[in-house]
Amino acid sequence: MTQQINASDSTNDLTNLPYVPYIAYNGTTPTGGDSLSQNLNTFYESGDIAWMLASTALVLLMIPGVGFFYSGLARRKSALSLIWLSIMATAVTSFQWFFWGYSLTFSHNSGRFIGTLDNFAFKGVLAQPSVGSARIPDLMFAVYQGMFAAITVALAVGAVAERGRMAPCVLFMFVWSTVVYDPIACWTWNPSGWVYRLGGLDFAGGTPVHISSGSAALAYCYVLGKRSGYATQALNYRPHNVTHIVIGTVFLWVGWFGFNAGSALSANLRAVMAAVVTNLAACVGGITWCLIDYRLEGKWSTVGFCSGIIAGLVAITPGSGFVPAWAAVVYGVGAGIGCNFATQFKYWIRADDALDIFAVHGIGGLIGNLLTGLFAADYIAHLDGFTVIQGGWLNRHWIQLAIQLADSASGMAYSFFVSCIILSVISYSGRFIPALRLRATKEEEEAGIDDVEIGEFAYDYVELVRDVKPRDPAHDVSQIFEEDGDEGASQRSHSQATMMNNVEKGQPTGTSYPLRELNHDGTDAYGHYGSGIGTAS
């Protein structure tokens, strides 16, 4: 329970109240006051702080979701590297955000394109009302927005899939978040930014998060070049682990409530509406994509359904705090159709975007921004009690669509071209500093990034059963090695079942080497210990 208390009313003894009262911020110091002599919590509602802490945790949960989603889409031999990069993006970007990223983005004395270093290393970041909302303090806003910066970087670096090296990618994370993400977030969300002043509507990151990361991923694909075997059967493989894709999708879906509803920056009815449209757009996007795939292939694709969910979430992000519930259906359908067909765009522009990051995030963010220009409603934005906008076409504010287009185009162009410059500089430096070589060699690529760069694997037991063959049937099972080339791509989903059925029938497994049956002590009939590869118990 809270109560509005007049700070100048001497009849109220604040020290004896059974709850923390709320009083207006007096604006005395940049840090919000002296915590040794006054209670700085009195400037904020505890419910708002609690909701924002929960939202911060939800956004953090999205980052391993990105890793699992990307990992499942890739081949087994590079699966762990994509999870590693997602988690590393959190670490690198969180440090960058503390070091100077927050100050460059949300300093109180920011310019139209970039902030100052007034809050370098979180200097003075404490209890002063944030530039994002007077309902939460700087410190709360800083940690919440830090998660946004981290997931944006995690989305972008998925472009290194299966042929990019780790060390230069880590360097790219720090530099890119400084010279690309921070300026775009500043001009979009800081009240001093040029897009903010122009009247651009971006509730939770259509341009700073999705368009910028999708464009950066496209640039990374171009600079890295195509994977070995591109446009041949060698890359005609199915996602190696659909379960990982589903797990990643669930993490993202749940976390997106903190991403969008949390962007209301307080616990209010606007946050509730953002949660409603977020969930609805995801559902409709998944159904739409699944129906399109069924029309083309006659299969109810799990991967397609998950991709559609992500596309719907991406599209609704910029409009989640501006549009009514019914508009979320349009967002879901538009994203499901638009992003689905955008996956073919990479073939026209000859970009090996292995994970379709540009199609889902770049194009999905663009669709969301433009639809926000159409459906933004003034009464939805004012559900928080203080936000006033002119709205979009729904409110007959016709120019809003042009503003949204300008915002989208500028963010896409800036991210793409500056990312190309950053990567080109790193690539050139790699000629003199081997650790900065962007691209793995052909031999390293064939061996797999997990083996070459990490020395660990996502799994050694289950997956190898499906892709092994013996060098010589007379040799020990340790002579079994992985099949090269396309890894048996078109047969991966049923090869293990075929092997087991053949064993039950007493027939060869297809490799003229029957599976061994192990004793309880782990040895076979010849006294050899089984490795777990190609065995049946």
Side-chain angles (χ1 to χ4, degrees):
M1 177 179 180
T2 59
Q3 176 179 331
Q4 184 72 31
I5 300 293
N6 188 342
S8 63
D9 189 351
S10 60
T11 63
N12 291 308
D13 186 357
L14 302 182
T15 61
N16 295 325
L17 292 176
Y19 52 83
V20 177
Y22 169 70
I23 63 175
Y25 174 69
N26 56 22
T28 54
T29 64
T31 59
D34 181 7
S35 62
L36 293 176
S37 60
Q38 63 184 127
N39 185 356
L40 302 182
N41 297 288
T42 59
F43 302 137
Y44 307 101
E45 295 279 2
S46 58
D48 291 337
I49 300 296
W51 166 238
M52 293 310 301
L53 285 171
S55 295
T56 300
L58 287 171
V59 179
L60 177 60
L61 180 67
M62 297 171 67
I63 299 175
V66 171
F68 276 107
F69 189 86
Y70 285 170
S71 171
L73 286 172
R75 285 180 287 187
R76 178 198 51 76
K77 60 185 180 181
S78 297
L80 185 61
S81 65
L82 292 168
I83 298 176
W84 187 95
L85 285 170
S86 297
I87 303 302
M88 182 58 71
T90 308
V92 173
T93 310
S94 294
F95 172 76
Q96 186 273 349
W97 193 247
F98 157 79
F99 187 69
W100 59 22
Y102 176 72
S103 187
L104 292 174
T105 307
F106 292 113
S107 57
H108 290 263
N109 299 314
S110 170
R112 294 198 173 196
F113 297 94
I114 193 69
T116 66
L117 290 177
D118 292 347
N119 301 120
F120 176 81
F122 275 18
K123 177 185 176 183
V125 177
L126 193 59
Q128 184 181 17
S130 68
V131 298
S133 172
R135 303 293 302 235
I136 59 172
D138 272 339
L139 189 61
M140 181 71 260
F141 187 62
V143 67
Y144 177 66
Q145 286 294 336
M147 295 300 104
F148 274 61
I151 194 171
T152 303
V153 175
L155 290 171
V157 298
V160 308
E162 304 190 338
R163 80 272 204 196
R165 298 179 68 245
M166 311 293 242
C169 186
V170 171
L171 175 60
F172 175 80
M173 293 175 186
F174 188 92
V175 177
W176 187 86
S177 58
T178 299
V179 301
V180 176
Y181 177 80
D182 292 348
I184 294 178
C186 177
W187 77 49
T188 303
W189 288 323
N190 195 310
S192 300
W194 72 268
V195 170
Y196 191 101
R197 290 187 172 191
L198 187 63
L201 302 178
D202 193 334
F203 190 66
T207 299
V209 176
H210 297 297
I211 289 180
S212 70
S213 62
S215 302
L218 184 63
Y220 217 132
C221 292
Y222 275 125
V223 176
L224 269 184
K226 300 178 179 66
R227 288 167 293 170
S228 299
Y230 183 78
T232 69
Q233 281 297 110
L235 291 186
N236 184 25
Y237 65 90
R238 296 176 182 177
H240 94 280
N241 193 323
V242 179
T243 301
H244 272 193
I245 295 174
V246 175
I247 291 172
T249 301
V250 171
F251 279 17
L252 287 166
W253 198 344
V254 172
W256 226 290
F257 281 84
F259 196 81
N260 285 357
S263 292
L265 301 180
S266 65
N268 54 47
L269 197 54
R270 193 182 187 193
V272 177
M273 179 58 77
V276 170
V277 297
T278 295
N279 186 61
L280 187 55
C283 295
V284 175
I287 293 170
T288 302
W289 192 304
C290 201
L291 288 173
I292 293 174
D293 280 1
Y294 184 82
R295 180 184 66 84
L296 296 174
E297 303 175 10
K299 303 289 185 182
W300 298 106
S301 171
T302 304
V303 176
F305 181 64
C306 291
S307 298
I309 289 172
I310 303 303
L313 291 168
V314 169
I316 196 61
T317 293
S320 53
F322 296 115
V323 301
W326 61 264
V329 177
V330 182
Y331 277 82
V333 172
I337 296 174
C339 295
N340 186 299
F341 286 100
T343 59
Q344 304 303 310
F345 185 62
K346 63 185 178 183
Y347 300 111
W348 302 344
I349 60 177
R350 300 182 181 279
D352 185 11
D353 186 1
L355 307 179
D356 288 317
I357 302 171
F358 180 73
V360 174
H361 294 277
I363 301 302
L366 175 62
I367 291 171
N369 275 355
L370 297 181
L371 289 178
T372 301
L374 296 176
F375 300 118
D378 51 4
Y379 73 96
I380 297 295
H382 200 63
L383 285 173
D384 59 9
F386 54 86
T387 299
V388 177
I389 65 170
Q390 292 181 282
W393 283 29
L394 198 66
N395 289 131
R396 299 187 179 184
H397 185 226
W398 315 116
I399 194 64
Q400 189 63 51
L401 185 61
I403 296 174
Q404 298 297 108
L405 181 61
D407 174 29
S408 303
S410 59
M412 184 174 291
Y414 181 80
S415 179
F416 179 79
F417 288 111
V418 176
S419 297
C420 285
I421 293 172
I422 297 170
L423 291 164
S424 297
V425 171
I426 295 176
S427 179
Y428 181 77
S429 301
R431 298 182 180 182
F432 310 100
I433 307 174
L436 295 183
R437 250 188 325 111
L438 275 181
R439 175 75 184 251
T441 64
K442 183 177 180 180
E443 293 73 22
E444 291 172 338
E445 187 178 342
E446 290 177 353
I449 300 300
D450 290 0
D451 189 8
V452 173
E453 289 282 287
I454 302 178
E456 298 166 343
F457 306 92
Y459 7 64
D460 282 328
Y461 180 83
V462 176
E463 280 300 308
L464 289 178
V465 173
R466 297 198 274 179
D467 297 316
V468 296
K469 63 183 181 182
R471 295 185 186 277
D472 186 342
H475 288 176
D476 184 78
V477 73
S478 63
Q479 295 296 316
I480 292 179
F481 67 97
E482 282 196 75
E483 192 170 6
D484 295 327
D486 64 359
E487 299 189 349
S490 60
Q491 290 80 31
R492 292 179 67 162
S493 61
H494 64 265
S495 59
Q496 185 178 4
T498 302
M499 293 172 68
M500 296 306 297
N501 287 336
N502 288 340
V503 169
E504 293 174 359
K505 296 176 183 178
Q507 298 175 356
T509 62
T511 60
S512 71
Y513 190 82
L515 297 179
R516 297 184 301 159
E517 187 166 338
L518 299 182
N519 300 320
H520 291 295
D521 63 356
T523 61
D524 61 10
Y526 304 99
H528 297 304
Y529 280 92
S531 65
I533 301 175
T535 63
S537 58

